[in-house]
């Protein structure tokens, strides 16, 4: 923490103490500004500690980007380059044509997560202990590949597959995606001949640069045997059927929450799938331990975030748009329009933590709340007594 922010911290504590002690004396007319002026005299050196940057734009229209487009699919990225506030979570909206392959690759600095929206994806992953895994993912399923584990994807359905990838580092793309054709294309041919056991003539036909997404054939047998035949396969599943798990029901909708407890290979993220009925309100809350990265699948919603120091910002979201809510910022989601809203949220912690305004108030004595808000006991008694979650 620098000395400026130290001063700001001391100032805000001093302000609060000043206001609290004056209120405690019942001297409502005494100028709180006197305490503030004193605090300024003591702590203001050069810069006004009351000034804060506005909350940065927390909305990104990932589907409106052009991204990478090829014969067998496309990819649109939201990394720190496109969406600077999201330092800890990046996303990619990927589409594969039937048979389309996202080639063998790994990510040096991030784990990969994905939510499948349409199509059927076959994945292969290799772990450092040599155990492979092959899985098939349908809409509503999520995957998690630990950082650095080699993997590949193929759309094995007859329709276009669409899935949204999430990475636990906003910089994953520019510093961390390693594709097999890029590597092979930049390795001396004599090394490839020795290492792969291929003739020089065959090595000369290998790709010279990264293919990224390429056309492929849907295998006639699924899954096919491994190249090495019988191998011990991974006992640590990369797949979780998020859309099929039992939801937490509320009057205005539901939530499905998957942490590392339910999905152990996923050691860095929490996934939440959320459904809001028309007119519903996801109540005021914050997450003490994680940033929240939302992708809207269907319907529309208004998100308001609160960033302290009198700062708040509201944006409206629809299908294909992303919201980023910084760790600890207060926020709420208001469903708007006739169609229910469905979105998923990714949190950069394997443990889910949330504090809602209703839970917080319910855990305080009535007299404290009455004084804090200047309410009568009758009014305080009307406040919620438990978490409301999604209000109808
Ligand atoms: Fe990947
Ligand atoms: Fe939230």
């Amino acid at each position: 923490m620098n000395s400026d922010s130290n001063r700001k911290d001391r100032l805000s504590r001093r302000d609060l103490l000043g206001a609290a002690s004056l209120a405690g004396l019942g001297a409502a007319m005494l100028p709180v500004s006197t305490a503030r002026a004193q605090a300024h005299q003591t702590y203001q050196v050069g810069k006004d500690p009351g000034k804060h940057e506005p909350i940065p734009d927390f909305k990104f229209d990932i589907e409106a980007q052009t991204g990478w487009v090829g014969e067998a699919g496309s990819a649109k990225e939201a990394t720190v380059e496109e969406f600077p506030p999201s330092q800890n979570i990046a996303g990619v909206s990927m589409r594969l044509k039937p048979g389309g392959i996202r080639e063998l690759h790994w990510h040096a600095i991030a784990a990969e997560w994905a939510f499948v929206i349409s199509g059927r994806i076959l994945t292969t992953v290799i772990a450092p202990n040599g155990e492979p895994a092959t899985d098939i993912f349908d809409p509503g399923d999520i995957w998690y590949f630990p950082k650095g584990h080699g993997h590949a994807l193929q759309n094995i359905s007859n329709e276009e597959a669409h899935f949204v990838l999430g990475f636990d580092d906003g910089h994953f793309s520019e510093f961390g995606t390693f594709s097999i054709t890029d590597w092979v294309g930049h390795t001396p041919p004599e090394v490839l001949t020795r290492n792969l056991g291929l003739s020089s003539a065959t090595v000369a036909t290998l790709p010279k640069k990264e293919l990224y997404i390429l056309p492929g054939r849907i295998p006639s047998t699924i899954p096919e045997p491994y190249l090495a035949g019988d191998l011990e396969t991974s006992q640590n599943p990369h797949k979780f059927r998020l859309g099929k798990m039992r939801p937490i029901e509320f009057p205005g909708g539901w939530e499905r929450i998957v942490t590392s407890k339910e999905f152990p290979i996923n050691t860095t993220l929490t996934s939440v799938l959320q459904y809001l009925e028309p007119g519903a309100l996801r109540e005021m809350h914050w997450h003490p331990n994680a940033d929240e990265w939302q992708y809207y699948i269907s319907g529309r919603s208004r998100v308001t975030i609160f960033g302290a120091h009198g700062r708040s910002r509201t944006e409206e979201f629809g299908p294909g748009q992303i919201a980023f809510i910084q760790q600890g910022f207060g926020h709420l989601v208001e469903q708007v329009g006739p169609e229910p809203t469905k979105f998923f949220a990714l949190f950069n912690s394997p443990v889910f933590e949330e504090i809602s305004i209703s839970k917080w108030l319910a855990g305080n004595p009535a007299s404290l709340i009455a004084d804090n808000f200047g309410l009568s006991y009758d009014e305080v008694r009307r406040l919620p007594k438990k978490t409301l979650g999604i209000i109808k």
Side-chain angles (χ1 to χ4, degrees):
M1 191 181 276
N2 63 32
S3 57
D4 264 358
S5 46
N6 266 327
R7 275 195 295 278
K8 283 177 206 163
D9 273 359
R10 285 200 298 267
L11 172 63
S12 51
R13 274 197 291 276
R14 176 90 169 224
D15 261 344
L16 285 170
L17 284 172
S21 57
L22 291 171
L25 290 167
M29 295 311 289
L30 278 179
V32 174
S33 57
T34 308
R36 189 169 285 132
Q38 281 170 359
H40 271 248
Q41 270 177 4
T42 314
Y43 297 112
Q44 185 176 17
V45 182
K47 193 176 166 193
D48 180 357
K51 289 257 182 333
H52 295 272
E53 293 293 319
I55 293 177
D57 193 3
F58 68 104
K59 176 176 174 178
F60 183 66
D61 198 344
I62 190 170
E63 300 299 349
Q65 313 301 307
T66 306
W68 186 98
V69 182
E71 165 189 7
S74 64
K76 298 165 181 180
E77 287 194 340
T79 70
V80 285
E81 200 172 306
E82 296 85 15
F83 191 29
S86 187
Q87 293 286 319
N88 298 316
I89 301 176
V92 175
S93 174
M94 190 171 279
R95 288 174 174 81
L96 294 176
K97 301 245 169 80
I101 294 172
R102 167 68 178 101
E103 69 167 317
L104 281 82
H105 67 283
W106 75 94
H107 305 284
I109 64 167
E112 174 174 318
W113 171 100
F115 180 89
V116 178
I117 293 174
S118 66
R120 170 171 272 200
I121 308 292
L122 179 132
T123 68
T124 67
V125 195
I126 190 75
N129 64 4
E131 289 176 353
T134 300
D135 292 287
I136 291 168
F137 293 81
D138 289 307
D141 294 342
I142 57 173
W143 69 66
Y144 184 95
F145 306 147
K147 179 163 68 183
H149 291 204
H151 55 278
L153 321 170
Q154 183 173 25
N155 176 13
I156 57 168
S157 74
N158 292 317
E159 57 166 331
E160 182 179 74
H162 178 209
F163 46 97
V164 178
L165 303 159
F167 297 88
D168 55 7
D169 189 314
H171 299 263
F172 92 98
S173 181
E174 62 272 44
F175 303 128
T177 294
F178 293 69
S179 293
I180 199 163
T181 51
D182 191 13
W183 196 11
V184 163
H186 294 89
T187 302
E190 58 277 16
V191 172
L192 295 175
T193 308
R194 289 178 64 196
N195 206 148
L196 304 180
L198 299 173
S199 70
S200 332
T202 305
V203 163
T205 66
L206 292 175
K208 300 290 180 293
K209 61 181 182 60
E210 185 183 32
L211 295 177
Y212 189 52
I213 293 172
L214 59 139
R217 291 162 291 184
I218 298 175
S220 49
T221 317
I222 295 174
E224 289 176 284
Y226 293 109
L227 189 60
D230 276 348
L231 287 173
E232 270 315 319
T233 53
S234 171
Q235 300 197 48
N236 204 354
H238 297 87
K239 173 177 171 178
F240 192 93
R241 299 190 315 279
L242 175 61
K244 297 277 165 57
M245 80 183 291
R246 185 192 290 273
I248 304 164
E249 305 265 10
F250 294 107
W254 51 254
E255 277 183 340
R256 293 173 151 95
I257 303 176
V258 183
T259 69
S260 61
K261 213 162 100 187
E262 300 82 13
F263 189 22
I265 201 167
N266 157 42
T267 54
T268 58
L269 298 167
T270 289
S271 326
V272 178
L273 186 61
Q274 205 158 125
Y275 175 86
L276 306 177
E277 300 275 9
L281 168 66
R282 176 69 178 83
E283 72 163 316
M284 296 156 78
H285 68 283
W286 74 97
H287 307 283
N289 67 337
D291 296 329
E292 176 172 351
W293 189 98
Q294 303 174 335
Y295 178 96
Y296 283 81
I297 301 168
S298 55
R300 300 196 69 78
S301 279
R302 225 170 13 233
V303 179
T304 299
I305 63 176
F306 165 62
H309 310 291
R311 301 176 306 163
S312 72
R313 187 164 179 153
T314 301
E315 298 285 353
E316 193 172 312
F317 295 84
Q321 296 179 323
I322 292 171
F324 177 76
I325 301 153
Q326 203 175 314
Q327 178 174 329
F329 273 37
H331 55 285
L332 58 100
V333 181
E334 294 170 277
Q335 201 286 336
V336 291
E339 195 194 345
T341 295
K342 202 172 176 184
F343 68 95
F344 63 76
L346 202 54
F347 297 83
N348 59 330
S349 168
V351 174
F352 184 71
E353 286 186 356
E354 172 186 330
I355 299 176
S356 63
I357 195 165
S358 53
K359 185 198 287 186
W360 191 20
L361 292 174
N364 271 284
S367 63
L368 181 63
I369 294 168
D371 287 354
N372 201 148
F373 285 139
L375 292 176
S376 70
Y377 280 91
D378 257 4
E379 288 161 328
V380 168
R381 267 186 227 108
R382 285 194 212 130
L383 291 170
K385 310 289 185 303
K386 64 178 174 66
T387 301
L388 298 176
I390 303 167
I391 300 163
K392 206 173 166 68

